Amino acid sequence: MLQRALIIAAMLTAAVSARAAEVNTNWPGYQAGDYVIKDYKFVSGETLPEVKLHYRTIGTPQRDANGDIINGVLLLQGNTGTGDNWFRPTLADELFKPRQPLDAAKYFVIMPDALGRGGSSKPSDGLKGSFPHYRYRDMVDLAHRLVTDGLKVAHLRLVVGSSLGCMQQFLWAEWYPDLMDGTVGMSCQPVEISGRNYLLRHGTAEAIRHDPDWNNGFYDKNPSHYQYAAAGNDLTESPVRIQEEAPTMEAAKALYDKRLAQLQKRDANDQLWEIESIYDYSPEADLPKIKAHVLLINNEEDFADPPTLGTVERAFKKIAHGTYVLTPAGEDTHGHFTHYYAAVWKPYLVKFMAELPPAPTAGK
């Protein structure tokens, strides 16, 4: 169990951190801000007097006759990092530039920091072990309030999410079926967390909870014992890419040291709350409620979402307008993290968008 825990810890931390976002704020209309929700009650029954969601937007909003935005595109991040993940050149240059699928001159693009991450409220802000144990339902509800109440978006052309965001775009489509025309997910499955996926996640959570320095979340020294082995286990990246990056023992040792240093910058409570937030994710029964067109893109080398289970094919039979794409391993793919390389999957996005229903038009 400990070995499994170390594997999932690496999946959720080291591999993502190793590809830190390069943020370019020169995109048209770039803005960043915070949206605060007062007296929020979590599904656990716990409460906070205020919850903050940090976000950034680019592009120019188009409004209907009521003044509400109708050309929104919501981008949902993976488990770690922030909404700035979308500014990696391998994403932003392929998506936001003129004549690209999410051209910033055409769409109002919203990139929030998910609850528990970045500039949004999280345990390490001060509450430590007293921070409410949030779940996906809280995360989606808060982001929905940001989009609709905070930014006054009445219609989304697309909801696009990777990894954690991929799972949550299914929930957006189920819970707010009339809000968007289409949803796009990369690197996930629309089924309950179970089997190996649950075992790995739960094992990681237990590794943190049983760290002698954890102290029920009220620690002075950040618990880090599990990180020394976790830094050496990255099974979500393509094994070919890892070998290319570390073709000698010396290079592999340097890669290990780099990943360990990145892991040690992260707060254990933040990681624990992130890992356990997924425990209410079980979208399969409500997939028939989805009205939007849905595109899911996975990669055949994805350790976190193995294509051999048959779960995606089973689930997609319940979606009225669903398309599933499994990209083959190649010189430009990165296993689970292929979602960071838009050149691989952009052609499927372009085709998908071309077949969406007509978008609403701006008011006169």
Side-chain angles (χ1 to χ4, degrees):
M1 180 61 78
L2 177 59
Q3 178 64 17
R4 291 176 175 176
L6 300 174
I7 291 170
I8 196 69
M11 287 167 52
L12 299 176
T13 54
V16 180
S17 300
R19 302 165 184 85
E22 298 178 30
V23 180
N24 176 6
T25 60
N26 294 322
W27 294 99
Y30 177 89
Q31 295 185 29
D34 296 316
Y35 181 61
V36 176
I37 299 96
K38 299 288 188 180
D39 299 317
Y40 188 75
K41 184 176 182 180
F42 293 78
V43 294
S44 64
E46 300 168 278
T47 61
L48 281 179
E50 65 177 40
V51 177
K52 179 180 70 174
L53 285 189
H54 185 70
Y55 66 93
R56 72 282 295 144
T57 63
I58 61 173
T60 303
Q62 297 175 7
R63 301 181 186 274
D64 62 14
N66 296 321
D68 294 324
I69 297 170
I70 57 172
N71 66 329
V73 171
L74 176 64
L75 303 183
L76 302 172
Q77 67 176 89
N79 192 65
T80 56
T82 70
D84 283 336
N85 287 354
W86 292 100
F87 288 118
R88 298 164 187 264
T90 54
L91 288 172
D93 290 350
E94 297 285 344
L95 298 176
F96 304 149
K97 285 187 173 182
R99 294 176 296 281
Q100 296 302 327
L102 305 182
D103 187 338
K106 184 176 180 180
Y107 294 105
F108 180 65
V109 184
I110 308 159
M111 294 159 275
D113 289 350
L115 178 67
R117 295 134 178 97
S120 296
S121 296
K122 55 188 179 297
S124 63
D125 289 340
L127 289 178
K128 297 186 176 182
S130 295
F131 195 86
H133 293 267
Y134 60 87
R135 294 292 184 260
Y136 273 22
R137 182 168 290 275
D138 300 307
M139 297 173 71
V140 173
D141 176 57
L142 287 165
H144 179 257
R145 295 191 192 199
L146 161 66
V147 170
T148 58
D149 297 337
L151 297 174
K152 305 301 180 185
V153 174
H155 185 81
L156 292 167
R157 184 60 171 165
L158 285 176
V159 178
V160 183
S162 59
S163 195
L164 171 141
C166 175
M167 290 182 276
Q168 293 191 355
Q169 56 87 29
F170 283 111
L171 302 181
W172 278 80
E174 291 177 352
W175 299 346
Y176 316 111
D178 298 313
L179 181 60
M180 74 290 292
D181 296 318
T183 71
V184 180
M186 294 161 286
S187 305
C188 80
Q189 300 191 49
V191 297
E192 182 180 14
I193 296 302
S194 55
R196 185 182 71 184
N197 199 329
Y198 173 82
L199 291 173
L200 296 176
R201 293 175 184 277
H202 184 66
T204 303
E206 290 296 286
I208 296 174
R209 291 185 184 280
H210 288 84
D211 190 302
D213 294 324
W214 187 61
N215 192 31
N216 293 316
F218 297 97
Y219 44 81
D220 296 319
K221 173 187 176 184
N222 189 42
S224 60
H225 291 203
Y226 75 98
Q227 295 174 348
Y228 290 94
N233 291 285
D234 181 6
L235 299 185
T236 42
E237 175 59 280
S238 161
V240 178
R241 300 292 89 79
I242 294 175
Q243 187 65 27
E244 291 170 349
E245 189 172 1
T248 66
M249 185 183 298
E250 182 179 359
K253 182 181 183 302
L255 179 58
Y256 171 87
D257 291 342
K258 177 182 177 182
R259 288 180 173 171
L260 178 61
Q262 291 161 345
L263 278 165
Q264 290 174 332
K265 293 177 182 178
R266 302 211 61 219
D267 181 81
N269 279 341
D270 288 351
Q271 294 180 71
L272 177 59
W273 266 243
E274 290 170 7
I275 293 165
E276 295 187 334
S277 66
I278 201 173
Y279 287 171
D280 68 341
Y281 177 70
S282 185
E284 187 171 2
D286 287 333
L287 292 174
K289 296 180 179 179
I290 295 176
K291 298 180 181 179
H293 291 232
V294 178
L295 172 64
L296 175 64
I297 306 172
N298 286 347
N299 182 258
E300 68 176 3
E301 282 191 307
D302 189 342
F303 176 86
D305 302 293
T308 56
L309 301 179
T311 48
V312 173
E313 291 83 355
R314 182 189 76 210
F316 260 65
K317 293 178 181 178
K318 303 176 183 180
I319 301 175
H321 306 287
T323 301
Y324 173 45
V325 174
L326 183 66
T327 56
E331 62 182 13
D332 297 320
T333 60
H334 294 259
H336 184 74
F337 294 105
T338 300
H339 59 250
Y340 281 138
Y341 299 86
V344 175
W345 47 264
K346 184 172 69 172
Y348 304 105
L349 174 64
V350 171
K351 182 177 185 296
F352 177 74
M353 293 182 68
E355 297 172 353
L356 286 177
T361 56
K364 302 297 183 181

